[in-house]
Amino acid sequence: MTAATSSTLFPQGPTPSAYAATPRDADAVLEGLDPEQREVATALHGAVCVLAGAGTGKTRAITHRIAYGVRAGILQPASVLAVTFTNRAAGEMRGRLRQLGAGGVQARTFHSAALRQLQYFWPKAVGGEVPRLLERKVQLVAEAAARCRVRLDRNELRDVTGEIEWSKVTQTVPEDYPAASAKSGREAPRDPAEIARIYAGYEQMKRDRGVIDFEDVLLLTVGVLQERQDIADQVRRQYQHFVVDEYQDVSPLQQRLLELWLGDRQSLCVVGDASQTIYSFTGATPDHLLDFRTRHPGATVVKLVRDYRSTPQVVHLANGLLAQARGRAAEHRLELISQRDSGPEPVYAAHADEPAEAEATARRIRELITPVAEGGGGVPASQIAVLYRVNAQSELYEQALADAQVPYQMRGAERFFERPEVREAGLLLRGAARAGSADPALTDDDVPSQVRAVLGTRGWTPEPPAGSGAVRDRWESLAALVRLAEDFVRARPGATLADLVAELDERAAAQHAPTVEGVTLASLHAAKGLEWDAVFLVGLTEGMMPITYAKTDEQIEEERRLLYVGVTRARRHLSLSWALSRTPGGRASRRPTRFLNGLRPGSGAASGRLPGGGGGVERGALGGGAATGGAVRRRRGPVHCRVCGRTLTDAGEMKLMRCEGCPSELDEALYERLRDWRAEQAGLLAQPAYCVFTDKTLLAIAEAVPGTESELSGISGVGRRKLDRFGADVLALCAGQELPLAGDSEGDDGAAGTQPGDPPQNSTEK
């Protein structure tokens, strides 16, 4: 880790702690931030757009930005509204802000913030009480379908409900649904006219019963702010500075609400990454992020590309996936630069069938969690995840992990604070806190000891029970509370049991659960925003990744981004696997996902494997012997502009070794000779010109005019293979020598150039 992530505040590591000492003053808030994060933290005026790649510390940057503004007296805590998309993220943000000395800042989801405003202003705007909130709309949708004489099975009911939600966040009324669905290229689960009737019936039933759903919360708040200028003015007086996290995920309705909150002001900071847009089926679109500078011409734009989460090997694969991407989001992709030490290559594994894939995954996890002293990896189970495309894939992995006696937890299943043992523990701790010294269990003043004593009466023991199952699950929940108490008191030595109970109540309200010691099983969508030391991406076959119903180019690209999100969840260990058939003895007709073409060893080139090796390890179809891929990519330190000395983070500038705006020493004649030579080589190879060298690499060569192999190899984009194949020609051109015509060399079989099937290098720069 670098200094930018070495802070004890929410550190990234095997056993993260949520507690740390509060910085002494505003300047101390900035300590440990890298230059780009510091630029974000100190940009407190006007519109700010932060383009933040996976693992680059975006939450750290924006929370330190808010805290710095508060501690410096520039921002009033009550005037700041920070908005994100999940209760957990909002709770984590509030926790970080408190530890940074910026308590009082509102950090909420869009729905939570809108609901508070709606409840406050409803009596004034409409009169009476706000209608009751409908927690789950599925049952009402089912009734509406029945009234329309439409029978829906369980899957169709879920999908039709999703279509209604999409319609509402895109502000589409029932009668417009068929046309809007067709225009957006959605694959409706039933006849669009039927869905429109069900949608209309659902809306009528809500009105009849006096209830509203979550989308109505946003719609009604928008309506109140649009119709009542006095209420809009009051909201704008209260909130004068806005921060929006995960801005690539905003829907048109959320964007409209944000615009009404903001008014004609520019005090807005947005953070996002178009390459992590994976919720378009809910109405989310990256267009608002990509168009931000058009709507706010004077905006400050900062790019975060230093990846503190993943090793160079993981980052290399992630960059390679995006190098193949197409479409508008791909045009704005960020090329990550790992700041971590080198780690193991990604492992690619083909298996005979799905049960074999699950069993092999469980065996490998068993090896990883075995203590180092016993010859294992020593990775805690809580720092391992198995990620799949659809939830139906989880059953095989649940069984395989249980058979291997590996504890696991389901992401998206029962919430931690709603588990019976956790609720019971909370009641016991609350009672013990009230009783104080009168409770015979509290013979020790040490809070963790008190917690262990109380929870010991309900099944917690210093050592975990053997095996898995309900007893182990209960123990894991109680053990998570014990660890949380230890972390809490370590950060607040004078804290009491009552303080801990208050902390638990706040965490429960925000669904900010402590870490449970078990392997996480989750869908790729549910894994967004999380990270683990080891990640197993399973079931990566055509038809599952991309999913069968992804038909259009836009849908295929979203599937690629989904795999990118999965890859970037891994800190160190990454495994990608697929099964050649569904069942044992079945026909081996499946193919691995097209997204790995040109990236995994032995696959044909698609478009875009980045230079520098990092090919990974591939295991045989039955999980047998391994063969290594390319060499490990060498770690590079910070790259500085050779003209002004500024640290470079843009991939194109790093290739040129100078800022785009700094004076160029380009030898234009040499550049033209290099371009002509490249065109000849590309023609011989029947490959695009950038497969030989990209334009940026040619510019860098023409500016540096290298005279030796060593100087040429120091230019980004000239790896060992390129040096061997093209080095002599390039150095001859740089020396002013004339080359023979391409067809004149004896025995020329194209070996000097890129071979058919070789992937292009740095194909993002054309």
Side-chain angles (χ1 to χ4, degrees):
M1 282 191 178
T2 68
T5 57
S6 60
S7 166
T8 57
L9 182 68
F10 288 84
Q12 299 176 21
T15 53
S17 169
Y19 309 101
T22 300
R24 61 188 179 278
D25 54 28
D27 288 340
V29 172
L30 301 178
E31 291 177 1
L33 300 181
D34 69 27
E36 294 77 36
Q37 291 171 341
R38 183 179 287 252
E39 187 178 353
V40 172
T42 54
L44 294 170
H45 301 286
V48 178
C49 179
V50 183
L51 302 176
T56 57
K58 66 178 180 64
T59 305
R60 180 181 177 81
I62 58 175
T63 51
H64 280 68
R65 177 182 186 272
I66 295 169
Y68 177 72
V70 169
R71 300 292 296 275
I74 300 171
L75 303 176
Q76 295 302 312
S79 72
V80 180
L81 178 58
V83 188
T84 187
F85 282 82
T86 66
N87 285 323
R88 179 184 175 86
E92 181 180 330
M93 191 177 290
R94 288 195 295 272
R96 292 191 187 211
L97 289 169
R98 281 200 311 274
Q99 291 301 320
L100 290 169
V105 171
Q106 291 292 308
R108 297 187 172 275
T109 65
F110 271 101
H111 286 88
S112 172
L115 182 59
R116 278 173 60 92
Q117 292 177 19
L118 196 63
Q119 290 170 332
Y120 183 82
F121 290 112
W122 188 270
K124 179 178 180 180
V126 181
E129 294 288 326
V130 177
R132 181 173 60 86
L133 187 62
L134 184 67
E135 292 289 341
R136 295 181 71 250
K137 59 174 67 70
V138 171
Q139 182 58 44
L140 209 58
V141 172
E143 291 183 40
R147 286 191 180 184
C148 295
R149 293 186 171 86
V150 176
R151 295 187 63 180
L152 301 175
D153 64 28
R154 185 176 179 180
N155 290 333
E156 287 176 325
L157 179 59
R158 179 199 63 205
D159 293 342
V160 168
T161 301
E163 290 302 291
I164 291 174
E165 291 174 346
W166 172 82
S167 299
K168 299 187 74 165
V169 301
T170 56
Q171 303 176 76
T172 302
V173 295
E175 55 267 30
D176 292 341
Y177 170 77
S181 175
K183 183 178 179 181
S184 66
R186 294 182 74 81
E187 185 133 345
R190 295 289 296 243
D191 178 76
E194 280 186 339
I195 294 176
R197 291 203 309 275
I198 297 170
Y199 178 14
Y202 167 76
E203 291 296 311
Q204 184 60 52
M205 291 178 69
K206 284 199 290 107
R207 288 191 291 271
D208 293 343
R209 300 183 185 186
V211 297
I212 59 176
D213 60 26
F214 279 98
E215 290 71 40
D216 290 329
V217 170
L218 301 183
L219 285 163
L220 290 169
T221 306
V222 164
V224 168
L225 295 176
Q226 285 181 159
E227 297 297 324
R228 293 290 298 267
Q229 186 64 43
D230 58 330
I231 292 177
D233 289 342
Q234 188 174 344
V235 171
R236 291 167 191 160
R237 285 194 298 272
Q238 170 68 50
Y239 295 117
Q240 299 170 14
H241 192 88
F242 297 87
V243 177
V244 184
D245 194 10
E246 303 287 4
Y247 192 55
Q248 78 279 352
D249 288 334
V250 296
S251 68
L253 179 56
Q254 289 165 332
Q255 176 63 23
R256 180 60 185 143
L257 178 58
L258 179 61
E259 291 167 354
L260 289 166
W261 283 340
L262 192 62
D264 58 1
R265 298 167 297 177
Q266 296 290 312
S267 53
L268 171 66
C269 173
V270 301
V271 189
D273 178 9
S275 296
Q276 296 189 68
T277 305
I278 59 173
Y279 296 111
S280 68
F281 60 91
T282 67
T285 170
D287 290 346
H288 306 300
L289 175 67
L290 300 179
D291 294 337
F292 189 83
R293 282 169 287 186
T294 302
R295 295 195 312 276
H296 304 275
T300 299
V301 179
V302 184
K303 294 181 180 179
L304 302 183
V305 296
R306 302 175 196 252
D307 187 321
Y308 298 102
R309 174 187 299 159
S310 304
T311 63
Q313 288 75 15
V314 173
V315 167
H316 176 74
L317 175 56
N319 286 338
L321 279 171
L322 290 191
Q324 301 179 2
R326 299 291 178 265
R328 191 177 182 213
E331 293 170 2
H332 295 80
R333 58 181 168 263
L334 300 168
E335 186 165 347
L336 302 176
I337 306 168
S338 176
Q339 307 296 299
R340 294 194 57 174
D341 291 334
S342 184
E345 292 287 351
V347 173
Y348 300 87
H351 300 278
D353 50 65
E354 288 183 358
E357 182 182 8
E359 290 164 9
T361 300
R363 283 197 302 273
R364 177 59 184 140
I365 291 173
R366 179 80 258 177
E367 293 169 4
L368 279 176
I369 66 176
T370 299
V372 174
E374 299 175 20
V379 179
S382 61
Q383 292 304 317
I384 301 174
V386 178
L387 306 181
Y388 33 76
R389 178 60 180 85
V390 297
N391 286 319
Q393 294 172 273
S394 72
E395 185 178 359
L396 279 173
Y397 292 89
E398 293 179 59
Q399 186 62 54
L401 290 172
D403 290 345
Q405 295 191 321
V406 173
Y408 66 86
Q409 56 179 326
M410 299 291 295
R411 178 74 183 172
E414 185 180 34
R415 292 178 173 178
F416 178 83
F417 287 103
E418 293 173 3
R419 297 176 185 175
E421 65 270 21
V422 174
R423 297 176 67 176
E424 182 184 26
L427 291 173
L428 289 171
L429 291 171
R430 187 174 291 107
R434 283 198 300 266
S437 58
D439 190 324
L442 306 184
T443 58
D444 197 316
D445 291 334
D446 177 59
V447 172
S449 295
Q450 293 175 346
V451 172
R452 287 190 285 267
V454 171
L455 300 188
T457 66
R458 289 298 183 271
W460 179 84
T461 56
E463 295 297 324
S468 56
V471 174
R472 177 63 182 250
D473 291 344
R474 180 182 178 87
W475 184 90
E476 291 289 357
S477 297
L478 299 178
L481 293 174
V482 171
R483 287 193 297 272
L484 189 148
E486 292 167 349
D487 286 345
F488 183 72
V489 174
R490 192 177 301 119
R492 294 176 54 180
T496 65
L497 186 58
D499 294 328
L500 175 63
V501 169
E503 171 72 9
L504 289 175
D505 288 342
E506 183 159 343
R507 278 175 165 261
Q511 290 302 324
H512 186 190
T515 301
V516 175
E517 201 57 44
V519 172
T520 298
L521 296 178
S523 70
L524 286 163
H525 282 101
K528 178 75 168 61
L530 304 174
E531 60 186 80
W532 295 269
D533 283 348
V535 169
F536 291 79
L537 301 177
V538 300
L540 300 180
T541 59
E542 285 289 312
M544 193 60 75
M545 176 59 66
I547 200 76
T548 305
Y549 52 75
K551 304 291 187 185
T552 67
D553 290 344
E554 292 82 1
Q555 291 167 340
I556 295 294
E557 286 305 314
E558 181 151 339
E559 292 288 297
R560 187 194 309 276
R561 294 194 296 270
L562 188 57
L563 181 57
Y564 171 80
V565 166
V567 167
T568 55
R569 299 310 93 196
R571 297 191 190 108
R572 181 173 175 80
H573 302 279
L574 178 62
S575 172
L576 306 95
S577 64
W578 57 93
L580 302 178
S581 69
R582 188 172 71 85
T583 57
R587 188 163 63 91
S589 58
R590 291 179 169 181
R591 292 181 293 118
T593 175
R594 72 192 74 172
F595 300 144
L596 296 179
N597 288 349
L599 299 172
R600 62 181 178 85
S603 63
S607 57
R609 178 177 172 186
L610 297 178
V617 175
E618 181 155 22
R619 301 189 185 278
L622 299 178
T628 58
V632 175
R633 187 178 186 176
R634 67 177 181 272
R635 190 176 182 222
R636 303 176 67 95
V639 178
H640 301 283
C641 174
R642 52 189 166 82
V643 180
C644 71
R646 184 177 72 88
T647 300
L648 304 177
T649 57
D650 179 79
E653 291 182 342
M654 291 173 67
K655 189 177 287 291
L656 292 174
M657 297 289 288
R658 66 170 173 81
C659 304
E660 288 281 4
C662 283
S664 168
E665 302 167 349
L666 176 67
D667 183 333
E668 293 185 2
L670 173 59
Y671 180 62
E672 290 304 317
R673 290 199 302 275
L674 288 167
R675 284 176 61 87
D676 291 341
W677 166 82
R678 181 182 67 173
E680 288 184 7
Q681 294 295 325
L684 285 173
L685 299 168
Q687 295 265 1
Y690 62 81
C691 290
V692 181
F693 285 120
T694 65
D695 286 346
K696 284 284 175 65
T697 299
L698 291 189
L699 279 171
I701 293 171
E703 288 186 4
V705 193
T708 65
E709 275 196 2
S710 176
E711 291 173 354
L712 179 58
S713 67
I715 295 173
S716 180
V718 184
R720 184 73 252 173
R721 289 191 307 158
K722 294 291 179 96
L723 190 66
D724 291 341
R725 293 172 177 173
F726 304 126
D729 281 5
V730 171
L731 289 173
L733 290 169
C734 289
Q737 301 172 13
E738 291 294 326
L739 296 177
L741 294 176
D744 287 351
S745 58
E746 293 183 8
D748 182 11
D749 61 0
T754 304
Q755 301 300 310
D758 275 348
Q761 298 196 13
N762 277 355
S763 60
T764 59
E765 299 170 15
K766 298 182 182 178

